Amino acid sequence: MPVAQTRCDHPELNWRAPRRPTPSYREGRRRAYENPSLARYVVSRTLTKPHADLWLRSDVEPVSSAKVKEGDVFVRLGEAARAGNESAFLEILKEARWQGRPVLDFIRAIQFAFEAGAHIAARQISAEGARLHPDNAELQKQAYILSPPKIIVRTATAGTSHRANRDWLKAHTDEYRNQWVALRDGELLGTASSMEALVEQVGETKGILLTVV
Amino acid sequence: MLLYLTDKTQFSVGATAYRLPREGADASRITIGLEIEENITEAIIDTGAPYVVCSPSFSKLFTPDPAKLMYAKKLLIRGVWVEGRIYRINISLLPDEGDALMIEAPAFIPNPEQEFTEGFLPRSFIGMFGCLEMIRFALDPLTETFYYG
């Protein structure tokens, strides 16, 4: 996509696009896509400029207002994410249309969802991205990692009992408060002031509970 | 004894003892023993937490599969921004009675290089979203038992 000029000669849109959208810039953008004759000057650059996603230029091809609005959704998603505003992010997300969007849009949207704390939305976006781009390895991987937990095996065990460890911990809370301990079947194997020191002391940790009292 | 529904189908396949730490930031939080990537530790059941969140000290014990890594991110945990990565890992609920359950789930693993104050997040968390959401679970405070299935 060609680099947009930062200054437009149109008499109504003659201002410099800031690095971050300002209130006057947003107002100009709103006026631009409300008035079809001005919309041709507005270009969405959501893919490469998260902060200045709408630039003004005088020689751009006419852009549909729908495309402008779609670019605007990503701008607002990014703003909500940077503000850590999950509810605002989810409200804006309802306006997003995913069909036809490139892989990078999904990846960015997932990142925004994490920044906003919208973990469920991150999973939904990744799943939608994987569905629409079945050949993209990165989206498939992200969808897999974020997919719901899966029970992969159920095994009958006759091994370590946590009850014995739990009973030991309850009985020795005062004695070992804030100490790291290593236990096996209710038997103390070692104590230390940190996890690292405890592991060094105990050595092989397989089958051993390591915890702080 | 495990739990059953009124039609005699199993509600839980396993049961394990839990405890409530008496002091510190984890005081009165339901804490169970479990296995994370073949290392046994205690974790707090926190239905408000996303994913499994490994404690910084415990996460140094294992090396998750890099093929199951998602990019780094930050989580706000107890007022501290913790840098880390999301991996798909295996955790096992270990029973005192019944069967163990191995669950493949997304987990937030803190960056081992990040420094924390002493005593920050000594225990791991298992959250509803991303971990417990696919299993039934129940608590019996009279016997301090956590049922799962």
Side-chain angles (χ1 to χ4, degrees), chain A residues 49 67 122 156:
Chain A
K49 289 285 184 183
K67 196 171 173 75

Side-chain angles (χ1 to χ4, degrees), chain B residues 75-94:
Chain B
L75 270 188
L76 185 64
I77 302 175
R78 291 184 177 169
V80 176
W81 283 105
V82 179
E83 296 175 357
R85 291 174 169 82
I86 294 179
Y87 289 87
R88 190 90 176 170
I89 65 170
N90 295 329
I91 71 164
S92 294
L93 300 178
L94 303 174

Side-chain angles (χ1 to χ4, degrees), chain B residues 90-108:
Chain B
N90 295 329
I91 71 164
S92 294
L93 300 178
L94 303 174
D96 293 318
E97 184 183 355
D99 298 342
L101 270 187
M102 183 181 283
I103 304 167
E104 186 189 77
F108 178 78

Side-chain angles (χ1 to χ4, degrees), chain A residues 123 149-150, chain B residues 50-52 91 103 105-106 126-135:
Chain A
R123 174 193 286 176
K150 192 168 58 173
Chain B
Y51 318 120
V52 174
I91 71 164
I103 304 167
I126 52 174
M128 174 68 92
F129 175 74
C131 186
L132 296 175
E133 63 180 289
M134 299 303 285
I135 68 171

